């Protein structure tokens, strides 16, 4: 594990090189700065003994892997957004009935915020973390809201039956 002095020296010595390396890959200065910081945070948590001469290679591998993760996330987000925005003309009748049933169940949720959270989580397929960011609240709030909404739907369905 690197001590504080070694980390400081590595930061001063390799930061500019890492910024150049990531700039060629990403082309977005904000993403580059974030990833550079994350690379050095990962370097701080390395448990194995790392030779001084291996640090730049280690940092570049971390940077390349993190840049790949950024690209994958952008692709997933773009695919999801395009699915949400593209009109669907050919749908099976059963799909339409299911979609209508889901909309009816979601309409049973009285609380507007819970309804929006359920739409984001269940209908649009966002993760808990993404939903929390979109709604600007904690992940535990998202979980409890979904739980409350599902309870409300079940209660309403029992009354209807």
């Amino acid at each position: 594990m690197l001590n504080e002095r070694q980390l400081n020296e590595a930061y001063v010595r390799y930061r500019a090189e890492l910024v150049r390396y990531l700039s060629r890959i990403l082309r977005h200065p904000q993403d580059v700065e974030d990833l550079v910081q994350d690379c050095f945070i990962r370097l701080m948590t390395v448990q194995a003994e790392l030779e001084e001469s291996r640090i730049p290679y280690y940092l570049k591998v971390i940077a390349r892997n993190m840049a790949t993760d950024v690209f994958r996330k952008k692709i997933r987000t773009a695919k999801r957004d395009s699915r949400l925005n593209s009109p669907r003309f050919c749908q099976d009748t059963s799909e339409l009935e299911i979609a209508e049933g889901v909309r009816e169940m979601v309409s049973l949720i009285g609380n507007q915020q819970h309804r929006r959270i359920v739409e984001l989580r269940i209908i649009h397929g966002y993760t808990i973390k993404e939903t929390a960011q979109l709604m600007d609240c904690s992940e535990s709030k998202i979980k409890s809201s979904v739980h409350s909404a599902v309870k409300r739907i079940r209660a309403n369905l029992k009354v209807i039956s």
Side-chain angles (χ1 to χ4, degrees):
M1 191 156 178
L2 300 174
N3 62 36
E4 189 174 343
R5 182 190 58 77
Q6 290 172 317
L7 283 170
N8 288 336
E9 286 177 8
Y11 186 81
V12 169
R13 187 176 297 159
Y14 303 118
R15 182 188 176 283
E17 182 180 343
L18 204 56
V19 167
R20 281 192 304 275
Y21 178 73
L22 284 169
S23 294
R24 287 183 302 223
I25 297 172
L26 293 177
R27 309 226 193 297
H28 294 306
Q30 300 87 0
D31 290 342
V32 169
E33 285 301 322
D34 289 344
L35 289 185
V36 168
Q37 296 301 319
D38 289 343
C39 288
F40 282 101
I41 289 171
R42 292 232 179 134
L43 182 64
M44 287 188 321
T45 61
V46 172
Q47 296 297 321
E49 285 295 321
L50 194 60
E51 294 178 30
E52 181 79 25
S53 62
R54 303 298 302 163
I55 291 175
Y57 304 111
Y58 185 80
L59 286 170
K60 283 186 178 179
V61 168
I62 293 172
R64 185 186 67 232
N65 291 340
M66 293 176 91
T68 302
D69 291 343
V70 167
F71 284 128
R72 287 180 181 155
K73 184 175 182 180
K74 286 182 180 180
I75 289 170
R76 278 193 316 267
T77 304
K79 282 181 181 178
R80 182 186 58 228
D81 290 347
S82 69
R83 277 195 317 258
L84 292 175
N85 296 330
S86 66
R88 295 176 64 186
F89 299 107
C90 301
Q91 287 188 335
D92 193 357
T93 306
S94 62
E95 284 183 34
L96 290 172
E97 291 171 353
I98 290 170
E100 181 63 30
V102 169
R103 278 193 292 278
E104 284 179 30
M105 283 191 272
V106 170
S107 71
L108 297 173
I109 303 169
N111 185 324
Q112 193 73 0
Q113 186 178 22
H114 288 187
R115 185 180 307 147
R116 181 71 180 136
I117 289 170
V118 168
E119 288 174 356
L120 290 171
R121 278 284 296 131
I122 296 172
I123 296 173
H124 298 298
Y126 286 97
T127 65
I128 291 172
K129 190 177 211 173
E130 291 168 336
T131 305
Q133 290 172 346
L134 288 170
M135 295 297 293
D136 195 28
C137 59
S138 67
E139 291 179 27
S140 59
K141 169 76 172 154
I142 299 299
K143 291 176 187 177
S144 66
S145 295
V146 169
H147 179 72
S148 298
V150 169
K151 279 177 61 175
R152 172 86 31 93
I153 290 171
R154 284 185 182 146
N156 286 333
L157 289 176
K158 283 182 183 178
V159 170
I160 293 171
S161 306

